[in-house]
Amino acid sequence: MTIEIAETTPTDPGQGVCVAQCRLPTSLHSCTLYFTVQSHRPHFIAVHCQEVGGKNYEASMSHVDCFVKELLSSDAMKEYNRVRVYLDENYKSQEHFTALGSCYFLHESLKNIQQFDFKAKKFKKVVGKEIYSDTLESTPMLEKEKFPQDYFPECKWSRKGFIRTRWALADCAFDLVNIHLFHDASNILAWEKSPSVYSGTRQKALALQTEHPGLRITDQRFEKVPYFVFGDFNFRLDTRQVVESLCSTATMQTVRLGDTNEVDKLIFRESENDRKVVLQLEKKLFNYINQDVFRENNGTLFLQFDSELSCFKERLHELEISFPPSYPYSEDSSQGKQYMNTRCPAWCDRVLMSATAKDLVLKPENEEKNLVYDNIGPNVCMGDHKPVYLSFRLTAGAGKANANKHKCCNVQ
């Protein structure tokens, strides 16, 4: 999953800031960065990763370090002479391990950029290339937290959490938050109630970061600044409503387990047409007869069932979605446009922002060509999540009340 926040100047459209976020660092996602660099030539790139090391992280974590080193030495990134990489690789620490990674690349033309030290409570100039891994709890340049286990008791060991960094660029300070929220463990359970129990769990975790007066992003320990929250929110469509829409004329057959009487599968059949199966729903199966409906008109028909963000509408904002659901794509390299039949397709991967951050994005100087919210690699395999990015121009001093609204970032 990738997010790009690209900053360009009116006088030189080849310079700016870019933030990118990946589901997990692999060679596939080097393509994400190369696309970002070649398409927008930004000043600043941030790559947020979830599931660092993949599902088999104990065996695969060493490959992450190799990937990062190859990325830093690549020709595409040679003009980015300052780098900060934070990888939570300490999987032996069950209490703290989130498998999150946040990587930041600064273009050589950008002279004045600072990062916030949360311990010293002041900004520090960014110089050189630094990589931090294993235990990030002692790193003062970020805040990292794992969500409480009781938020998701079905999972024996959850890795969900967030990493927050703060930056000052062109006299504008802002937070970048890498987040990974809880998934739907069972399609059956998600179908039973509208909204689902999983939706409530995600809202609880997100509220912990964005609305509680004594916690994290909106707390009183530090000055409030605009913030962008982007990652794998695991937001899902309202499963029950989607099923009712897809199977409005179908009849439902319930199959239960003999020993527990628990629902094992739901089979929806057409009333006529030889009672053809329209949809089969199981714990990890969402097998609909025509997957193409989720790609028609970029799946926008199903946005009416995308409602998990609605309770945060006063605090979190998003640009209009015009790309297909970002998950769950086939991981077969020859099936880049095909969804897997494991889950109902959904926009799990998002770029959200505070009201003040939205004001930064929607400045008049952000012409249509400079403001893009889209996915990357629509026709090629990028893993089960498609990268999603936001590109815009950042105005110098935009976060200040007396800022010149039309003065863009100056490269010195």
Side-chain angles (χ1 to χ4, degrees):
M1 164 177 57
T2 300
I3 299 168
E4 173 196 71
I5 302 174
E7 170 196 347
T8 57
T9 68
T11 56
D12 186 355
Q15 297 177 342
V17 178
C18 175
V19 181
Q21 176 211 312
C22 299
R23 168 67 177 182
L24 66 156
T26 67
S27 58
L28 289 173
H29 292 96
S30 63
C31 299
T32 295
L33 277 180
Y34 300 157
F35 166 86
T36 295
V37 172
Q38 295 301 318
S39 298
H40 300 283
R41 302 192 63 80
H43 288 140
F44 179 65
I45 302 174
V47 183
H48 284 181
C49 312
Q50 300 83 42
E51 301 292 2
V52 167
K55 294 180 175 63
N56 300 316
Y57 45 82
E58 293 186 24
S60 304
M61 197 64 77
S62 60
H63 300 303
V64 175
D65 297 331
C66 293
F67 168 78
V68 171
K69 291 177 181 178
E70 289 184 12
L71 186 63
L72 295 184
S73 62
S74 66
D75 288 341
M77 305 304 294
K78 64 183 179 181
E79 295 181 357
Y80 295 85
N81 62 350
R82 286 151 296 168
V83 176
R84 292 294 182 272
V85 176
Y86 305 102
L87 301 171
D88 188 4
E89 298 180 330
N90 188 14
Y91 55 81
K92 295 181 180 179
S93 175
Q94 294 190 23
E95 182 181 356
H96 299 292
F97 182 52
T98 63
L100 292 173
S102 298
C103 312
Y104 305 95
F105 304 85
L106 285 62
H107 194 270
E108 60 189 8
S109 63
L110 191 60
K111 303 302 181 184
N112 184 25
I113 186 166
Q114 299 176 312
Q115 186 181 1
F116 193 69
D117 184 321
F118 288 96
K119 185 176 181 179
K121 296 187 177 182
K122 64 180 181 179
F123 283 98
K124 295 183 177 180
K125 186 176 180 179
V126 180
V127 296
K129 299 180 179 181
E130 299 177 359
I131 301 175
Y132 299 85
S133 59
D134 296 325
T135 302
L136 298 183
E137 283 70 32
S138 59
T139 304
M141 308 309 289
L142 59 80
E143 288 192 319
K144 181 178 80 77
E145 184 172 312
K146 181 177 177 178
F147 293 125
Q149 184 63 44
D150 59 7
Y151 275 30
F152 200 56
E154 291 185 44
C155 189
K156 182 175 63 175
W157 184 17
S158 171
R159 298 186 295 277
K160 306 303 189 286
F162 80 95
I163 289 179
R164 170 197 191 185
T165 56
R166 174 169 292 189
W167 302 85
L169 170 65
D171 293 326
C172 178
F174 53 88
D175 284 351
L176 301 178
V177 182
N178 181 1
I179 195 166
H180 193 187
L181 296 182
F182 305 95
H183 63 280
D184 282 15
S186 168
N187 292 323
I188 298 292
L189 190 56
W191 169 84
E192 288 181 351
K193 185 180 178 182
S194 174
S196 77
V197 61
Y198 302 117
S199 174
T201 299
R202 287 187 285 271
Q203 290 176 7
K204 184 178 179 181
L206 190 55
L208 179 70
Q209 306 310 315
T210 60
E211 66 180 46
H212 195 291
L215 292 170
R216 300 310 177 192
I217 297 175
T218 57
D219 65 17
Q220 303 300 316
R221 295 171 302 144
F222 310 106
E223 179 185 0
K224 290 184 178 181
V225 299
Y227 59 85
F228 297 88
V229 186
F230 47 97
D232 181 6
F233 291 86
N234 264 313
F235 287 162
R236 306 301 171 96
L237 305 185
D238 189 305
T239 303
R240 190 166 191 102
Q241 292 183 8
V242 170
V243 171
E244 289 175 353
S245 174
L246 295 175
C247 306
S248 59
T249 61
T251 58
M252 184 182 75
Q253 174 188 357
T254 303
V255 179
R256 298 180 180 274
L257 296 174
D259 52 345
T260 63
N261 202 37
E262 180 182 356
V263 176
D264 182 48
K265 64 182 69 174
L266 300 172
I267 303 174
F268 297 84
R269 299 179 183 273
E270 293 183 355
S271 301
E272 300 177 353
N273 195 22
D274 297 327
R275 293 185 55 77
K276 181 187 297 184
V277 174
V278 178
L279 171 68
Q280 183 163 323
L281 200 67
E282 299 179 18
K283 181 178 181 179
K284 295 185 177 181
L285 180 71
F286 188 96
N287 191 9
Y288 183 59
I289 192 172
N290 180 21
Q291 276 197 347
D292 290 341
V293 298
F294 293 101
R295 292 190 294 271
E296 293 175 359
N297 298 316
N298 287 328
T300 52
L301 173 65
F302 292 91
L303 281 172
Q304 62 182 306
F305 307 118
D306 178 66
S307 57
E308 290 197 29
L309 191 57
S310 60
C311 65
F312 295 97
K313 62 183 180 180
E314 301 300 324
R315 296 178 294 278
L316 290 172
H317 303 268
E318 183 178 27
L319 299 189
E320 182 179 353
I321 292 176
S322 60
F323 49 86
S326 64
Y327 171 85
Y329 280 92
S330 171
E331 295 179 290
D332 184 331
S333 60
S334 65
Q335 301 290 327
K337 298 174 65 175
Q338 186 72 24
Y339 288 110
M340 291 189 289
N341 62 1
T342 52
R343 307 289 184 187
C344 175
W347 287 272
C348 293
D349 310 287
R350 316 283 277 263
V351 187
L352 307 182
M353 63 200 80
S354 64
T356 50
K358 184 180 179 182
D359 288 341
L360 298 180
V361 173
L362 297 181
K363 290 291 182 181
E365 56 269 23
N366 266 316
E367 301 173 6
E368 184 176 348
K369 65 180 181 180
N370 296 323
L371 184 58
V372 183
Y373 187 32
D374 204 353
N375 65 7
I376 296 176
N379 301 319
V380 297
C381 178
M382 302 293 286
D384 57 347
H385 289 252
K386 290 289 186 189
V388 172
Y389 74 101
L390 171 65
S391 172
F392 69 93
R393 178 185 301 146
L394 181 65
T395 305
K400 296 183 178 180
N402 60 350
N404 184 340
K405 296 183 179 180
H406 300 289
K407 180 182 178 183
C408 287
C409 171
N410 294 316
V411 180
Q412 304 174 0

